[in-house]
Amino acid sequence: LTTTFHTLCAFSPMTKAYTRSGVKTAVELVSFSTKNKYSTKVLDVWDEISNRYDDMISQKAATVKSSSSLVKLDASLNALAKKIRASHQNSDPKKPPLKDAKSSELCCVTKEELVEIVVGWKFAKGKPRYALFKHLNNNTDRDVEQMSANAFGLLTPLKCNDRNNADLVVESDSTANCKRALDEMTKLRGVGPATASAVLCLVRPDLFAFMDDEVIECLVEGKRGYTAKIYMDLNDKCCEIAKRLNDIGSNRKQGVEWSTHLVGKTLWTATQLGTMEKNLDFDDIYQKLQHKTPPKKDGSKKLKHHCDKDTDTFADKTPKKVQKSTINNKGAKSQDREERLAKRNGLKRKGNSGEDTRNSTKTEG
């Protein structure tokens, strides 16, 4: 792990050219972290970027035609992860999956879940490679269930109170077990390390990151590839970053528990932010966080700046005071005008009182 960290520290944003948009921003995030020696400042920035993941998923779904279903697929993937982790926690790691067991008795993914949800999400989020569907569909339902059950059986179930927590860090299995689980999944037709990682991070997010193209280019030196060796290199680095972030946050009463999977998600989020916002400055992000208005305890609504629809960081109460003052002035002017009109009408009534009396006398006669 020490060797991995030193390699990570030496990695520079200018080391190579990137073929995926925004990767330089993710590399700069890693460089920013090592430069600031993984201080609380670094943790705050990672937390902030991580919180933008859902926004970036929605943004990609709205702007890329092939990703229009990404929001629904991301939700379906999260639901599948909860289901698998619940099943895995109740399984016996010492008891190998039975070849003649029913699918309902196995902790596994089905062929439909693999093709429609996992691979569908992977293609919507990254570059779609539709030629793989032919190979994936050559697997039988039983093949997918058995191979995934075998892979999950090699991993220790999560030991935590909240088994639906996708990003909880727990005691790790050995690297050898992780590699064996990866190899088991890749026995399926059309399933390489990238697709296998998308499945395995559902059951043990603390051990596996998803092999995004952008994360490969961010963390792995040399040309982007999809071999098991490249994946394990990427995964080790995500795991090391997660441990360092958790070491910083260990003194906090509240905060995010960083997992290998969450680190990968956050690096991908950084690439999307870098695509949208050129020259993203992490020091600037940190400074804005320091000046962010804390939430009010009385539950009263915060005022938002008229130019800031998404955040109340720069809440401005001045316009309301000015508006109130304007309303009071208008009310005073209106009152003065009414008084002047009343006086004028009173003078008219006095001046015309004799004429009014005569006219009334004629009428009555």
Side-chain angles (χ1 to χ4, degrees):
L1 288 176
T2 303
T3 304
T4 300
F5 177 62
H6 285 308
T7 304
L8 206 56
C9 291
F11 198 52
S12 164
M14 302 306 292
T15 301
K16 61 180 180 180
Y18 308 113
T19 64
R20 292 289 181 266
S21 179
V23 173
K24 184 180 176 183
T25 303
V27 175
E28 287 171 347
L29 174 59
V30 176
S31 298
F32 166 82
S33 304
T34 53
K35 177 183 174 182
N36 288 279
K37 300 179 180 179
Y38 281 85
S39 61
T40 53
K41 174 181 180 178
V42 171
L43 185 59
D44 288 341
V45 171
W46 275 80
D47 284 344
E48 180 67 13
I49 293 172
S50 174
N51 290 336
R52 296 293 301 278
Y53 174 79
D54 289 340
D55 294 339
M56 294 302 100
I57 287 289
S58 298
Q59 184 72 22
K60 190 172 182 68
T63 55
V64 182
K65 188 177 180 181
S66 61
S67 302
S68 58
S69 60
L70 180 56
V71 174
K72 288 183 179 179
L73 285 167
D74 196 64
S76 297
L77 193 75
N78 289 333
L80 178 61
K82 290 179 181 180
K83 172 191 157 188
I84 291 172
R85 281 194 298 274
S87 175
H88 192 242
Q89 191 178 33
N90 293 328
S91 63
D92 184 357
K94 296 180 180 179
K95 185 179 179 181
L98 300 174
K99 291 185 178 180
D100 56 349
K102 296 178 181 178
S103 59
S104 59
E105 299 172 348
L106 295 173
C107 175
C108 63
V109 292
T110 64
K111 181 179 176 180
E112 182 181 5
E113 289 168 341
L114 174 65
V115 176
E116 299 296 329
I117 299 177
V118 178
V119 176
W121 170 85
K122 178 174 174 281
F123 285 1
K125 186 168 178 273
K127 184 178 179 179
R129 296 174 174 88
Y130 297 116
L132 285 177
F133 278 127
K134 177 183 177 182
H135 302 290
L136 287 166
N137 286 321
N138 284 334
N139 295 300
T140 66
D141 292 343
R142 191 60 184 171
D143 287 340
V144 176
E145 291 163 6
Q146 191 63 56
M147 294 302 178
S148 60
N150 289 345
F152 296 166
L154 293 167
L155 305 170
T156 307
L158 284 169
K159 294 179 181 178
C160 56
N161 294 327
D162 179 12
R163 62 190 177 196
N164 292 335
N165 188 341
D167 301 310
L168 188 65
V169 176
V170 297
E171 186 179 353
S172 294
D173 278 280
S174 66
T175 302
N177 265 12
C178 294
K179 178 63 168 57
R180 286 173 62 201
L182 189 78
D183 291 342
E184 197 67 30
M185 280 301 305
T186 55
K187 289 178 181 179
L188 291 167
R189 298 176 185 87
V191 175
T195 303
S197 72
V199 174
L200 293 171
C201 68
L202 300 179
V203 67
R204 285 298 300 270
D206 58 311
L207 295 179
F208 297 95
F210 171 57
M211 197 179 190
D212 271 304
D213 286 0
E214 292 85 351
V215 181
I216 299 172
E217 291 198 358
C218 172
L219 295 179
V220 180
E221 295 185 65
K223 187 177 178 180
R224 187 180 75 247
Y226 302 96
T227 63
K229 182 180 178 181
I230 288 175
Y231 173 71
M232 294 306 294
D233 183 14
L234 172 153
N235 205 52
D236 286 345
K237 288 173 180 175
C238 285
C239 183
E240 175 62 18
I241 292 172
K243 287 181 178 180
R244 293 189 67 82
L245 291 173
N246 283 318
D247 286 343
I248 308 165
S250 59
N251 294 326
R252 287 189 177 183
K253 292 181 180 179
Q254 294 181 345
V256 176
E257 285 285 347
W258 285 88
S259 67
T260 306
H261 179 49
L262 184 57
V263 168
K265 282 174 65 175
T266 305
L267 289 172
W268 178 86
T269 303
T271 67
Q272 303 308 298
L273 284 168
T275 302
M276 291 174 54
E277 305 172 26
K278 302 298 180 184
N279 302 318
L280 199 65
D281 190 305
F282 298 113
D283 285 302
D284 186 48
I285 290 174
Y286 177 73
Q287 290 302 320
K288 286 181 179 178
L289 287 171
Q290 297 309 297
H291 293 92
K292 196 168 184 177
T293 307
K296 294 185 178 181
K297 294 181 180 180
D298 59 2
S300 58
K301 292 183 179 179
K302 296 179 186 177
L303 296 172
K304 293 186 180 181
H305 191 277
H306 63 282
C307 293
D308 194 349
K309 297 179 181 179
D310 297 323
T311 178
D312 52 10
T313 303
F314 303 105
D316 189 355
K317 297 182 181 180
T318 307
K320 275 209 169 184
K321 290 182 180 179
V322 172
Q323 187 179 5
K324 186 177 180 181
S325 176
T326 306
I327 291 170
N328 290 338
N329 290 338
K330 284 182 179 179
K333 288 179 181 178
S334 177
Q335 187 176 357
D336 291 343
R337 185 179 178 187
E338 288 176 2
E339 288 177 357
R340 288 196 299 272
L341 287 172
K343 288 179 181 179
R344 189 182 302 170
N345 290 336
L347 290 172
K348 284 184 178 181
R349 282 196 294 273
K350 287 180 181 179
N352 297 331
S353 59
E355 183 180 349
D356 292 341
T357 305
R358 289 193 296 273
N359 288 339
S360 61
T361 304
K362 288 180 182 179
T363 304
E364 289 173 3

